[in-house]
Structure formats: C-alpha cells, structure tokens
Amino acid sequence: MTAVRTTFLNTAADLLDADPRTALVLADISATAFAPAARRHPDRVLNVGIREQLMIGVAGGLALTGLRPIVHSYATFLVDRAYEQIKLDLGHQGVGAVLVSVGASYDGSRSGRTHMSPGDVALLDSLGDGWRVHVPGHPDEVPPLLRAAAGDDDRVYLRLSERRNGDAYPDADRLRVVRRGGAGAPVVVAVGPTLSATLAATRGRDVTVAYTHTPRPFDAAGLRALAGTEVVLVEPYLAGTSAAVAARALADVPHRLLALGVGATDLRRYGDPADHERWHGLDAAGLRRSIDAFLD
Amino acid sequence: MDTLTSSGTAPLGPLLRRITGDEKHGPSAHSTLDVLWVLYDRVLRVTPQTVDDPDRDRFLLSKGHGPAAYYAVLAAKGFIPADWLDDLAGPESRLGHHPDRRLVPGVEIGSGSLGHGLGLGVGTALGLRAQGRTDPRVYVLLGDAELDEGSNHEAIAYAGATGLDTVTAIVVDNASATHGWPGGIAARFTVNGWTGETVDGRDHTALHAALTGHRPDRPHVVVARVESQG
C-alpha cells in the first residue's frame, strides 16, 4: 500500500476514534485495512459488501440521522457507478457526506478502463449541488482536508491519487502562486498532482504558476486577480472540466484559454500511470509542447 | 383541522377527491391507502409535533408514485393543512406527483425514482443504532414492480445478513411487476434472513398484526396483496 491511501486510512481511523458523529461506509475496498477500526467501532464502520448503490444509500440514511458519513471506494465505483444515488440519496435529500476515492484517472492503469475514472469531477459538476472537490497533490495535504470535511455537513469529494508533487501545499484551497512571472505574464493553473510536471514544463518561460488542491469551489476571484490575457488549466481528470468556471470567472476580460487534462478517448491500453500521463500529454514534455504551441 | 380517529378509510374519500378531482372511484382505487392508514393510525409513533424528534418512528415512502393516498393520510393526521390538497403539482404547490421531504412536513425522504428508499432506510436504521437509539423503527413502503430495481436487492441482502431488526419493509403487491416474482415476493426477503408475512392489503386487522409482527434480530417484511391493476 502506498502513501496517500495510508494517510487517508490513518486519518479516517483517528476521526472515528475522536468523533462519535463520524461513520465509515465501505464496499469491500479497503475493508481489510479498516478491520481494526471496525473492531473498535462496529456500529460506525459499515462494510456493505460489493454494493455501491447501497453504499451511498446507507450514507444518505446515516446523514439523515445526523451522522457524518465518510464513503470510500475506487472513484469509478464510488462516483461513476453510483451517480444517481449521489444525486438523489445525498443531493436531493439535502444531506451531505464525504466521498473519498482512490484510483483517480489512471492510477489503476494496469487494470484497464474499468478501473479508470477521468470523468468523476465532471459528473459532480453536472449535479450542481454545491459539491466541494479536493484533489490533493501530496499525502500531507490529505489529513487537514479530511478533518475539515468530517467536521462540517457539506457535500465533499476527496479525490486521492498516488500521483504526487514534490512539495505539499496544505493551504492551497485557493490559487496559490508557486512561481511568479512578470506583470501580465500568462497564468498556468495546476490542479492537484499535475504541479510538478507543470513546473518542469514551464521552466524558463515567463509564466505565473498557481496551484490548488480545491478546484470546487473554484477560486474565481484568485484567477481574476492573477490573470493576464493567457490562461492555461492543467487538470488530472477530463480535459476542460474547469474550462467553464474559468471562462465565467473571466467573462468580462479578453482572454485566451487552454484547458489541458485527460483525453476523452478510451485508449484501450494498460501500462503504468506514467505511460498514460505521457499518452494524454500530461507529462512535462507533453505539457511543454502544448503550452509552447499555445503561447508562441 | 379534523383529525380522523376511526379505523376505516371512508373519511379519506373527500381528502382524496380534493387531490385527484376523481368523483368516480372510492378510496380503494389507491393501492397503498389501507397500508398507509393502518400505519399512521395504529403503528407509527410519530405525530405532527414529533416530526423532528430523533426518537420518532420513520416512514419512508420509497414507491413515490401515486402519492395521493399518502398526502390524504398526512392531511387527515394533521401533518399538512388539508387545503394543500387542492393544488397537486402546480407551480406553487408543495405537493408534487412525487413527494419532496424538503417541502412537506413529516415526509422523511424525497422519492420517485424507484429503488432508493430501502437503502436510505437501512442507512437510517444503522444511524439510529450507532447513536444508541434502539427504540425507533424504520418502515419502508415499496411496490412489487419497484422490486425490479437491483438496488433493492443490495439492501435486502445486507439488512438480512446483518440482522438489522429495526427495519420493516412493506411491499404493496398489485401484481404489476412485468416479469412477476416466481416463488413469491416474501421469499426474496426470507431467503436472506428476514421474517416475512403475506396478508390481504385491504384487511386492517391482518395488516396491523403483520406490521407489528417483527421479531428480534431479523428485519421484517410485510407483503400486502391488493387487487391487480391489470
């Protein structure tokens, strides 16, 4: 087991110990790792088996009684498969939950398309129910995000990936400038684990690189404050997912926008996550090609 | 507001007519009416004054279709003003063709898309148990055709396997499932460890006995048979 998932497991187990309002709902994924917590809290660690519709329905019911459910599985099973339950059992009932996924767009690339979820954030966008979306780029960003989410009643999606940046920026819930360019320089916004490759891709160019682990709500005011004429979005999920919110933020400002991310096509290829990053043009060389072509 | 205390459903007729405008059919045209009346009149420990009490019984109408009988019973028992019944699903109405918990006092879930109520009910029962509230029961009303949705079977299997004994599912069976339920509806539940009873869905005495016939350590299902719509 690798770092970000371990960080989540430890933080969630601590929350279950510390806050009797928290509950954890699983559909077999990570159930073995949570077995000690389940022994300590048999009524609040609930493994429903391989039943993702029920997993979200149970979370909705728990929330209706005042508990704070944390719901965890692979992104594709948690969000893609249970989309209508998320829409109705949480959103329409007017209750919240903390959905914590692993697998992201292609962490499970060796398992193929069935284990990939590049469209999860776009799906939540389509719900329009005020979902807060966190996409941490480093394991150290996870505990404060999870603790804050467990402490409120909002609808929160925490999208974990084993892809990671070199440094953690726990305070980057708004756009945080990591490298500042000259006045009016193009702004490149890197979301979550795309930051390291984005920094490498723009080395030597006069651009401002800003980072966030919280694409929803998108820091529209921050983007307006930073933006010159050229804006580039780099996202670790479906390309263009944040293009609409960026365009709205800059609606009255003349600008050009390049939205990079995971392509919409099923590549029908296995390989490593790094291979998929390269195939989708999200490695440093690919990003450099796209950004150079846009700016030159 | 009038509050009905008799055990017959005839007084619901005028309330139903306010909703449907249908002068021709009596209360028995509504498949769920008798079950709802027995629940609210004799079983559920919830009143208009206790709709937010954490220790109330919960009633979840999973089968959100055709909610006229539900609204009529809620009005008869004082949960909603009777004059709400005069406008069903208009622009300013709080009562739609599927109920919305955020719009109607006493309504525990918004429903209409089939197959969501039992999962929410299981979660509600688990949430109550985790908070030490072992007294409230959770009743979920489904239709026999609604059972086609696979999500129900996720909930049936899990509630049975874990002995979630504060849940009672009620299936109103008017034989409308397209491919039927060979072997019977109750068997879908009992094979998973539920206790089950199948009764005449118009017989109030039998309904009351079945709706209060749950036993320790197992969830309970009541199949209420009514005349086929076909």
Side-chain angles (χ1 to χ4, degrees):
Chain A
M1 188 170 296
T2 40
V4 77
R5 195 166 175 182
T6 307
T7 305
F8 160 65
L9 294 168
N10 292 338
T11 306
D14 289 349
L15 284 165
L16 288 161
D17 290 342
D19 183 354
R21 207 174 70 102
T22 55
L24 179 68
V25 191
L26 304 171
D28 274 3
I29 302 294
S30 302
T32 304
F34 277 114
R39 281 193 292 275
R40 290 197 299 278
H41 311 290
D43 286 346
R44 289 189 291 122
V45 178
L46 304 162
N47 177 18
V48 300
I50 307 168
R51 298 185 173 95
E52 287 83 10
Q53 297 182 78
L54 179 63
M55 177 170 62
I56 301 293
V58 162
L62 294 171
L64 284 168
T65 70
L67 292 184
R68 183 58 166 160
I70 298 169
V71 193
H72 167 65
S73 188
Y74 273 85
T76 187
F77 311 135
L78 181 63
V79 178
D80 303 39
R81 188 176 189 122
Y83 174 78
E84 200 203 28
Q85 277 72 24
I86 294 172
K87 171 188 168 192
L88 297 180
D89 299 355
L90 297 173
H92 183 55
Q93 306 308 328
V95 296
V98 188
L99 308 187
V100 183
S101 72
V102 292
S105 293
Y106 38 64
D107 281 11
S109 53
R110 286 179 172 271
S111 297
R113 177 73 170 177
T114 57
H115 284 58
M116 301 179 186
S117 181
D120 53 352
V121 178
L123 282 168
L124 293 176
D125 270 354
S126 76
L127 294 173
D129 279 329
W131 279 89
R132 190 161 93 229
V133 177
H134 299 304
V135 185
H138 190 284
D140 292 350
E141 295 171 1
V142 173
L145 290 172
L146 182 58
R147 288 178 192 286
D152 63 39
D153 287 311
D154 296 344
R155 286 178 277 277
V156 181
Y157 181 49
L158 181 56
R159 183 190 208 254
L160 304 182
S161 172
E162 299 299 343
R163 312 304 291 162
R164 61 193 287 179
N165 302 316
D167 296 309
Y169 299 94
D171 61 345
D173 56 323
R174 294 173 182 277
L175 295 186
R176 185 194 193 284
V177 174
V178 178
R179 183 191 295 149
R180 187 168 301 270
V187 173
V188 183
V189 174
V191 177
T194 66
L195 178 62
S196 281
T198 300
L199 287 170
T202 55
R203 193 163 293 131
R205 281 204 82 104
D206 181 22
V207 299
T208 292
V209 176
Y211 168 74
T212 187
H213 53 53
T214 300
R216 299 290 180 279
F218 190 82
D219 182 10
L223 183 62
R224 284 180 66 87
L226 289 173
T229 308
E230 272 95 20
V231 176
V232 179
L233 299 175
V234 185
E235 298 183 279
Y237 36 78
L238 208 56
T241 299
S242 293
V245 290
R248 275 200 298 278
L250 303 172
D252 58 347
V253 182
H255 68 280
R256 296 197 303 131
L257 177 68
L258 175 67
L260 301 174
V262 179
T265 306
D266 176 359
L267 299 179
R268 297 188 183 281
R269 297 180 79 173
Y270 299 99
D272 288 326
D275 295 318
H276 283 258
E277 239 158 47
R278 192 172 69 255
W279 294 331
H280 289 288
L282 292 174
D283 63 328
L287 290 172
R288 180 180 283 277
R289 277 196 306 277
S290 298
I291 293 169
D292 285 354
F294 180 66
L295 296 178
D296 291 339
Chain B
M1 182 178 311
D2 292 338
T3 300
L4 297 177
T5 53
S6 74
S7 61
T9 57
L12 294 170
L15 296 170
L16 285 165
R17 279 193 290 278
R18 288 179 76 163
I19 304 171
T20 63
D22 181 353
E23 302 291 337
K24 200 168 49 177
H25 299 95
S28 66
H30 301 268
S31 64
T32 58
L33 188 74
D34 294 273
V35 167
L36 288 166
W37 181 248
V38 172
L39 278 168
Y40 275 89
D41 196 47
R42 301 172 64 186
V43 177
L44 295 173
R45 294 162 296 175
V46 61
T47 69
Q49 289 72 44
T50 62
V51 290
D52 295 316
D53 183 341
D55 284 318
R56 72 190 182 278
D57 284 341
R58 268 69 165 178
F59 172 72
L60 280 61
L61 181 70
S62 183
K63 182 194 112 67
H65 293 31
Y70 187 34
Y71 294 147
V73 170
L74 288 175
K77 288 297 183 185
F79 289 89
I80 60 174
D83 59 13
W84 286 15
L85 304 178
D86 296 328
D87 178 8
L88 183 66
E92 306 302 326
S93 177
R94 300 175 78 88
L95 308 182
H97 289 287
H98 304 115
D100 184 334
R101 68 178 292 270
R102 301 293 292 266
L103 297 178
V104 190
V107 167
E108 298 283 359
I109 60 166
S111 58
S113 178
L114 298 174
H116 288 263
L118 200 53
L120 286 166
V122 166
T124 300
L126 291 165
L128 292 167
R129 186 178 73 182
Q131 295 170 78
R133 301 186 188 282
T134 53
D135 200 34
R137 285 196 72 77
V138 180
Y139 299 82
V140 184
L141 178 66
L142 308 105
D144 65 300
E146 181 181 12
L147 284 183
D148 288 357
E149 293 285 1
S151 52
N152 293 301
H153 301 273
E154 295 190 4
I156 291 166
Y158 176 71
T162 55
L164 196 58
D165 62 0
T166 52
V167 169
T168 294
I170 306 137
V171 182
V172 172
D173 177 12
N174 61 3
S176 58
T178 295
H179 297 289
W181 291 107
I185 289 170
R188 261 68 197 184
F189 292 76
T190 55
V191 73
N192 287 290
W194 295 53
T195 54
E197 295 182 58
T198 300
V199 298
D200 177 348
R202 300 301 187 187
D203 181 336
H204 290 199
T205 304
L207 281 170
H208 180 261
L211 290 168
T212 53
H214 49 270
R215 272 156 268 173
D217 304 322
R218 298 166 79 177
H220 186 56
V221 65
V222 176
V223 179
R225 282 192 172 143
V226 298
E227 55 285 2
S228 167
Q229 297 297 295

